[in-house]
């Protein structure tokens, strides 16, 4: 991404109540959070300074952003608990909307809530949506020329900015080729995914498939279904080989 591209930062206000906790103590409570797209894929929350409940202690460090300017780094302190370097403030940003806001480091905090529901990984993007549709399309998945899944009852997940994902009943998958992985990932829209490595003969394809066993309520339709990275496998839809899509997971 060029400096010119990075200068085009999208900023939007939200009507959600957002609360942030550290060590069980309230760090921030606001009903006027600001969403800032520091990267194109998803936003981060900036909190009005007046809505902080924690102390910010400058640690002498600074960080520079081509789009947002020079930021002072702060330790976040609340009831004796400290998150070192857990906050940034842009006191004189070329984007004046940021000057009275605080950026709390997502991973430095323990819990984030939108209204009364926990949210993980990053804020939900108000311009993205997830649709999950039942389908009778014939989906066949091959890896190295070996059929690893064959189904006439997929659930197709359409997520803004990503390729369509084909979630398949486990009874339609070659479970004998799947080995549980230690890898797990979290999604603010779907929940926590467990991964599989596919082993065919002596060759392994690590973390190439996953399942959401207990997804978030809005994604219950994919519970217990297997999905493969169509960027990394061959997917046939109704007998036609799909071109492998390009995405951040390619």
């Amino acid at each position: 991404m060029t400096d010119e591209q990075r200068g085009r930062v999208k900023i939007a206000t939200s009507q959600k109540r957002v609360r942030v906790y550290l060590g069980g103590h309230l760090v921030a409570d606001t009903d006027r959070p600001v969403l800032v797209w520091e990267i194109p894929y998803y936003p981060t929350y900036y909190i009005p300074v007046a809505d902080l409940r924690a102390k910010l202690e400058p640690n002498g460090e600074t960080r520079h952003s081509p789009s947002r300017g020079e930021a002072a780094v702060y330790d976040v302190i609340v009831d004796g608990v400290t998150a070192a370097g857990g906050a940034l403030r842009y006191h004189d940003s070329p984007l004046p909307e940021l000057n009275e806001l605080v950026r709390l480091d997502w991973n430095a905090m323990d819990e984030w809530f939108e209204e009364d529901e926990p949210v993980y990984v990053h804020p939900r993007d108000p311009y993205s949506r997830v649709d999950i549709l039942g389908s009778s399309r014939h989906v066949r998945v091959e890896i190295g020329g070996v059929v690893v899944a064959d189904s006439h009852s997929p659930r197709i997940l359409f997520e803004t900015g990503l390729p369509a994902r084909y979630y398949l009943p486990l009874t339609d998958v070659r479970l004998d080729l799947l080995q549980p992985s230690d890898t797990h990932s979290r999604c603010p829209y779907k929940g926590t995914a467990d991964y599989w490595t596919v082993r065919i003969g002596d060759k392994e394809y690590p973390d190439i498939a996953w399942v959401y066993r207990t997804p978030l309520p809005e994604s219950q339709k994919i519970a217990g279904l297997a999905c493969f990275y169509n960027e990394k496998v061959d997917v046939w839809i109704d007998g036609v080989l799909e071109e492998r899509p390009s995405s951040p997971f390619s």
Side-chain angles (χ1 to χ4, degrees), residues 38-107:
E38 299 177 335
I39 61 175
Y41 309 115
Y42 56 81
T44 190
Y45 274 128
Y46 280 58
I47 307 294
V49 174
D51 293 336
L52 284 182
R53 301 293 184 268
K55 178 183 178 183
L56 298 184
E57 187 73 36
N59 68 6
E61 298 179 14
T62 60
R63 292 183 193 166
H64 179 73
S65 162
S67 60
R68 301 179 298 281
E70 204 75 19
V73 183
Y74 292 83
D75 296 339
V76 180
I77 304 169
V78 57
D79 291 333
V81 182
T82 300
L88 298 178
R89 283 204 60 189
Y90 293 91
H91 294 280
D92 191 23
S93 173
L95 304 173
E97 306 99 303
L98 305 184
N99 292 342
E100 297 301 321
L101 304 176
V102 176
R103 182 197 188 278
L104 296 172
D105 183 87
W106 189 275
N107 294 320

Side-chain angles (χ1 to χ4, degrees), residues 7-26:
R8 302 191 187 114
V9 175
K10 183 164 65 176
I11 299 174
T13 56
S14 173
Q15 296 180 334
K16 295 176 181 175
R17 182 188 184 190
V18 171
R19 283 172 289 174
V20 188
Y21 286 84
L22 175 64
H25 305 293
L26 185 63

Side-chain angles (χ1 to χ4, degrees), residues 216-236:
L216 296 174
E218 56 265 40
S219 297
Q220 282 297 311
K221 290 167 75 174
I222 60 168
L225 304 181
C227 188
F228 294 82
Y229 277 116
N230 37 345
E231 298 92 334
K232 303 176 182 180
V233 302
D234 292 323
V235 179
W236 299 75

Side-chain angles (χ1 to χ4, degrees), residues 48-194:
V49 174
D51 293 336
L52 284 182
R53 301 293 184 268
K55 178 183 178 183
L56 298 184
E57 187 73 36
N59 68 6
E61 298 179 14
T62 60
R63 292 183 193 166
H64 179 73
S65 162
S67 60
R68 301 179 298 281
E70 204 75 19
V73 183
Y74 292 83
D75 296 339
V76 180
I77 304 169
V78 57
D79 291 333
V81 182
T82 300
L88 298 178
R89 283 204 60 189
Y90 293 91
H91 294 280
D92 191 23
S93 173
L95 304 173
E97 306 99 303
L98 305 184
N99 292 342
E100 297 301 321
L101 304 176
V102 176
R103 182 197 188 278
L104 296 172
D105 183 87
W106 189 275
N107 294 320
M109 302 295 108
D110 293 332
E111 295 288 347
W112 290 77
F113 288 84
E114 292 178 342
E115 296 299 334
D116 290 348
E117 296 188 6
V119 61
Y120 304 108
V121 187
H122 59 76
R124 295 180 178 95
D125 189 331
Y127 304 106
S128 295
R129 63 175 291 152
V130 174
D131 290 310
I132 303 169
L133 303 178
S135 176
S136 57
R137 301 181 76 174
H138 180 200
V139 178
R140 186 171 86 249
V141 180
E142 296 184 5
I143 299 178
V146 176
V147 177
V148 296
D150 194 312
S151 179
H152 289 271
S153 53
R155 296 260 173 94
I156 307 178
L157 186 147
F158 301 92
E159 182 173 348
T160 304
L162 288 174
R165 298 297 191 196
Y166 303 98
Y167 283 81
L168 311 175
L170 292 180
T171 50
D172 293 338
V173 176
R174 286 281 306 273
L175 297 178
D176 58 309
L177 301 179
L178 271 56
Q179 298 179 343
S181 164
D182 291 331
T183 300
H184 309 278
S185 67
R186 299 170 99 183
C187 169
Y189 310 102
K190 297 184 287 291
T192 300
D194 303 322

